[in-house]
Amino acid sequence: AVAATREPRGPRQGLQGDGLVPVDSALGKHPDAALHLPIPATHQMVAKGLDHFALLSNPEVYGQLKAWLGGR
């Protein structure tokens, strides 16, 4: 799961998201346990300083997705 936040740095707690999707939602977190997705922390990334659509062409995001999917 990849979340985008316009904030360039800072702790993960309290990040507001990219204006389209909140960080917790992008990472599958929900206060209702029935709607929470069990995505391990090792498969979560917060891409700071990006908006939602910049995720599509960001080399760091692409590299992380490729690593998660077993690519080289």
Side-chain angles (χ1 to χ4, degrees):
V2 180
T5 178
R6 293 181 189 159
E7 300 165 29
R9 57 188 159 283
R12 196 161 130 176
Q13 292 286 2
L15 292 176
Q16 297 301 309
D18 63 2
L20 187 60
V21 179
V23 170
D24 281 349
S25 181
L27 299 178
K29 298 179 181 181
H30 196 279
D32 181 341
L35 300 174
H36 180 85
L37 301 175
I39 301 169
T42 57
H43 283 74
Q44 295 180 15
M45 175 185 184
V46 177
K48 296 177 181 172
L50 300 177
D51 65 28
H52 195 78
F53 296 103
L55 292 172
L56 297 171
S57 60
N58 183 274
E60 184 180 350
V61 172
Y62 175 74
Q64 183 60 70
L65 291 171
K66 192 173 175 183
W68 286 335
L69 296 171
R72 295 178 189 197

